[in-house]
Amino acid sequence: MTTPVQISHDLLGAIGGVPRPEGDVVVDARDVNKYFGRLHVLKDVCLQVRRQETVVIIGPSGSGKTTFIRCVNHLEKIQSGRIFVNGHLIGYRESGDGKKLVEDKEKNIARQRQEIGMVFQRFNLFPHMTALENIIEAPIQVRGVDHDEAVAVGRALLERVGLAAKEKAYPNQLSGGQQQRIAIARALAMKPALMLFDEPTSALDPEMIGEVLEVMKELAREGMTMIVVSHEMGFAREVANRVVMMDEGTVVEEGTPDQVFSHPTQERTKTFLSKIL
Amino acid sequence: MTLSVLRRYGTRRAVLAGFLPLLVLAVAGCSSSRGASVSIDPNIFLNAIIHPDGPIINGLYLTIFVSIIAQLIGVTLGIFAALGKMAKFPLFRIIANLYIWFFRGTPLLVQLAFLFYGIQSAHLLAWPTIELFGFTVTQEVLAGTIILGVNEGAYMAEIVRAGILSIDPGQNEAAKSLGMNYAQTMRRIVLPQAARVIMPPLGNEFNNMLKNTSLLMVLGTYELYNTFASKAGLAYQWFEFMGACCVWYLILTTIWGFAQAWIERRFSKGTTSSSGGPSWRDRIFGGRRSDAGEEIAVLGGH
């Protein structure tokens, strides 16, 4: 389990290349507001993510960072604002006068989610399926990919995340780090244009964090567009194009890793960093 | 003094201890007062088990056939009723709740009489006799199977719902985030996992179903119980025939006990406890009382 993971320099090659090369805006969140009952958890959050960019969101627990990325693929409803992914309004359509949001049809939401991969803190692998079955499930069921082709892509992805030998293993036979790597492969199998990582290493034993981060770094280097909620400052420094600091439902500060970590301008960022660094 | 006995032995034991001798005395008193000696013909009992004749074999097949089909109907309806109960649209919830409310809130025996005799006597519907895979399914068998199945669906609905609710919401989110729609998520991800939770209570339900088919005798079908009852009535050998009837039901439910243990082990793949459900011993000797017990006893007295 502690053996270093050999990952070839072609994680995206396994699924047929980098999605759309241009450098335009992939995620465009404008004035997003979200309430849990009376609790105002996202307050006018604005965030743009450009193609092939890796954005790491940091912040204390309860700051709304996880809630925010769950809004990006509409696992959470929003009460006002707009989130666009590749120019498409996510989860809603605008009513006639363009002022009100009406929740979109399930079919349309499902189609939008195909373009957005998500990796969860607790992996959420399907326990009744083997590693390979987990990966090929959505391409076959959702995209209608031919079984043999899906298996070929699935095997290539397994090899890329260093788990070719675990093809037939069920999730409960795998370590946390292995499960999370399978979960990343599962999301990639849909050839998403954007990957969301919700604290992907928070549920892992320390010795397994490295292998998962390694896969994510590889992915970032190959040009995947990524939003990562994480406390892994080393990872953020190394691969993030931008770091976003959130607190109490607002974006407090954003900038390059060096700006945010070494020269934070906001008092809130300084106190937070002093606690975790 | 009574109180101290209760405290010492517990209420249940004290009642049993007082009741059993009374029962024995009563039975002995009855036989002696009529002046007849105990009369049991073991050959009739054994023959009905070791050399079952045509009608018994047919009754056995009918009981098995009706049980399986009715249970399949019940599971299917139960899944839809469970999903209906959890649906977003109020109309689906209302329909599902009304269905469950009616079929769980009225006796199966009354449902059989109402939906067979009632509907036909009011000329609302005539149950047909149909041909199925070369077999003739009489209107009584058809109606009985469907009513048993519909009744079972109401019970299965709660079992299926509990099964679905037991699945980690993260599974649903993972499926959704991959672009799967509601139907795909249910069919491929949630229900297969819920099946493992549903299997043990489903096993109990089928055990009940095997026994509840005996209620079809009110429709005049010759399933296992009615076949034996008619033989017993003709020969006035109730003890022997009903004893044999019990043995046949025990054979069916025991075989099912083994089958269920095997199925549960198969369904436990991908989980941490490879031992699966309860032991075969618990499976066969455990289980719950058929809620049709009293009704049959009353009928038998006629």
Side-chain angles (χ1 to χ4, degrees):
Chain A
M1 244 156 272
T2 48
T3 50
V5 190
Q6 296 294 323
I7 298 159
S8 91
H9 286 267
D10 202 10
L11 204 53
L12 285 175
I15 58 169
V18 177
R20 296 182 204 103
E22 289 305 307
D24 45 354
V25 175
V26 177
V27 180
D28 187 4
R30 298 181 199 161
D31 302 321
V32 175
N33 279 282
K34 158 114 195 134
Y35 296 82
F36 283 124
R38 263 193 238 150
L39 195 65
H40 198 173
V41 287
L42 293 179
K43 298 167 187 161
D44 293 324
V45 173
C46 294
L47 184 72
Q48 285 200 343
V49 180
R50 299 188 164 277
R51 208 168 298 288
Q52 305 205 339
E53 201 177 25
T54 297
V55 171
V56 173
I57 306 180
I58 60 169
S61 57
S63 60
K65 49 197 196 308
T66 287
T67 305
F68 174 72
I69 69 162
R70 286 168 59 86
C71 290
V72 174
N73 70 352
H74 198 60
L75 284 179
E76 299 285 352
K77 293 176 181 175
I78 61 176
Q79 271 69 47
S80 74
R82 306 278 188 275
I83 299 175
F84 295 91
V85 173
N86 276 335
H88 299 292
L89 183 58
I90 292 296
Y92 298 92
R93 54 194 169 77
E94 284 169 333
S95 63
D97 53 7
K99 282 183 186 150
K100 263 185 71 185
L101 289 179
V102 185
E103 194 159 24
D104 213 338
K105 284 191 200 126
E106 188 212 1
K107 203 173 77 180
N108 294 337
I109 297 173
R111 192 179 303 139
Q112 292 172 338
R113 286 186 180 130
Q114 295 172 25
E115 311 299 325
I116 308 170
M118 183 146 190
V119 175
F120 298 88
Q121 183 178 354
R122 303 215 56 90
F123 332 132
N124 294 349
L125 289 180
F126 306 133
H128 58 306
M129 296 180 181
T130 63
L132 184 63
E133 284 166 354
N134 263 280
I135 295 171
I136 64 174
E137 176 68 15
I140 292 174
Q141 296 294 327
V142 179
R143 289 239 196 259
V145 174
D146 173 67
H147 182 270
D148 293 346
E149 194 190 325
V151 168
V153 171
R155 290 215 170 103
L157 278 168
L158 276 173
E159 196 169 318
R160 296 317 183 215
V161 298
L163 291 170
K166 298 292 186 183
E167 171 181 322
K168 291 199 174 71
Y170 284 96
N172 71 327
Q173 298 164 328
L174 298 169
S175 73
Q178 291 170 332
Q179 288 190 55
Q180 194 61 299
R181 283 187 276 154
I182 301 284
I184 294 171
R186 178 177 70 174
L188 285 177
M190 288 297 283
K191 309 187 178 182
L194 167 71
M195 285 284 286
L196 306 172
F197 292 85
D198 179 14
E199 305 202 26
T201 57
S202 300
L204 295 177
D205 290 339
E207 74 264 31
M208 293 169 187
I209 290 173
E211 62 193 62
V212 172
L213 290 183
E214 205 50 53
V215 171
M216 291 169 61
K217 284 177 196 168
E218 203 52 58
L219 204 51
R221 276 186 216 117
E222 286 171 29
M224 176 57 83
T225 312
M226 301 168 36
I227 305 180
V228 184
V229 171
S230 179
H231 296 297
E232 295 297 329
M233 298 305 149
F235 170 80
R237 269 186 186 282
E238 193 176 337
V239 298
N241 301 93
R242 235 168 349 122
V243 173
V244 174
M245 163 78 192
M246 281 184 77
D247 188 33
E248 292 179 349
T250 57
V251 173
V252 176
E253 184 165 4
E254 66 174 286
T256 63
D258 190 53
Q259 280 169 355
V260 176
F261 291 137
S262 306
H263 314 287
T265 58
Q266 301 295 314
E267 208 47 48
R268 194 66 199 86
T269 313
K270 286 176 193 164
T271 45
F272 174 69
L273 290 173
S274 73
K275 277 180 195 150
I276 62 161
L277 286 179
Chain B
M1 188 235 158
T2 324
L3 270 176
S4 70
V5 169
L6 284 184
R7 236 177 261 134
R8 186 155 173 202
Y9 296 105
T11 319
R12 204 207 269 172
R13 273 197 212 166
V15 169
L16 274 181
F19 182 70
L20 277 180
L22 272 180
L23 189 71
V24 171
L25 280 178
V27 170
C30 281
S31 62
S32 64
S33 71
R34 280 210 248 130
S37 56
V38 173
S39 140
I40 296 171
D41 185 343
N43 284 330
I44 292 179
F45 170 76
L46 288 173
N47 260 329
I49 297 164
I50 299 163
H51 304 294
D53 59 8
I56 294 176
I57 297 286
N58 285 342
L60 197 61
Y61 282 150
L62 191 58
T63 289
I64 295 170
F65 167 82
V66 169
S67 301
I68 292 173
I69 303 294
Q71 192 66 47
L72 289 176
I73 294 172
V75 171
T76 312
L77 283 175
I79 291 172
F80 282 109
L83 295 177
K85 228 179 131 92
M86 293 187 286
K88 244 192 271 175
F89 298 108
L91 182 67
F92 290 168
R93 288 205 301 272
I94 291 169
I95 293 172
N97 279 323
L98 278 177
Y99 162 61
I100 295 167
W101 175 69
F102 177 78
F103 281 96
R104 289 209 322 173
T106 54
L108 179 51
L109 187 62
V110 177
Q111 290 164 22
L112 284 165
F114 179 55
L115 295 174
F116 185 75
Y117 296 118
I119 277 181
Q120 301 214 113
S121 74
H123 303 292
L124 285 169
L125 177 100
W127 288 95
T129 292
I130 59 167
E131 293 284 326
L132 206 68
F133 307 118
F135 292 99
T136 305
V137 180
T138 63
Q139 56 170 182
E140 293 87 1
V141 172
L142 181 71
T145 309
I146 289 174
I147 297 165
L148 275 176
V150 174
N151 173 275
E152 178 60 23
Y155 287 90
M156 283 307 300
E158 293 299 325
I159 293 170
V160 172
R161 196 170 71 99
I164 291 173
L165 289 177
S166 74
I167 303 304
D168 175 11
Q171 291 292 308
N172 200 17
E173 290 181 354
K176 276 182 177 175
S177 76
L178 288 164
M180 296 175 87
N181 60 31
Y182 176 78
Q184 288 166 331
T185 304
M186 277 297 155
R187 191 170 52 85
R188 300 285 309 177
I189 308 301
V190 176
L191 287 176
Q193 293 183 60
R196 192 168 40 82
V197 184
I198 292 169
M199 259 323 286
L202 171 62
N204 271 344
E205 288 296 309
F206 188 64
N207 184 297
N208 274 338
M209 179 63 83
L210 283 167
K211 295 171 295 183
N212 280 349
T213 51
S214 59
L215 288 174
L216 293 202
M217 65 91 66
V218 293
L219 306 186
T221 65
Y222 282 90
E223 40 62 57
L224 203 51
Y225 169 69
N226 205 14
T227 308
F228 274 98
S230 62
K231 282 177 182 293
L234 274 176
Y236 202 69
Q237 302 276 11
W238 284 90
F239 189 87
E240 296 84 345
F241 280 114
M242 284 302 117
C245 188
C246 285
V247 170
W248 276 115
Y249 278 112
L250 281 169
I251 291 170
L252 290 182
T253 51
T254 305
I255 291 172
W256 171 243
F258 285 108
Q260 196 192 349
W262 180 80
I263 294 170
E264 276 176 36
R265 258 195 299 282
R266 286 221 43 190
F267 267 93
S268 68
K269 81 174 171 182
T271 59
T272 36
S273 67
S274 54
S275 56
S279 71
W280 291 11
R281 195 178 140 267
D282 288 351
R283 178 61 57 228
I284 291 155
F285 295 109
R288 81 176 198 237
R289 180 180 67 89
S290 161
D291 48 15
E294 290 101 322
E295 291 153 15
I296 270 298
V298 172
L299 271 174
H302 281 282

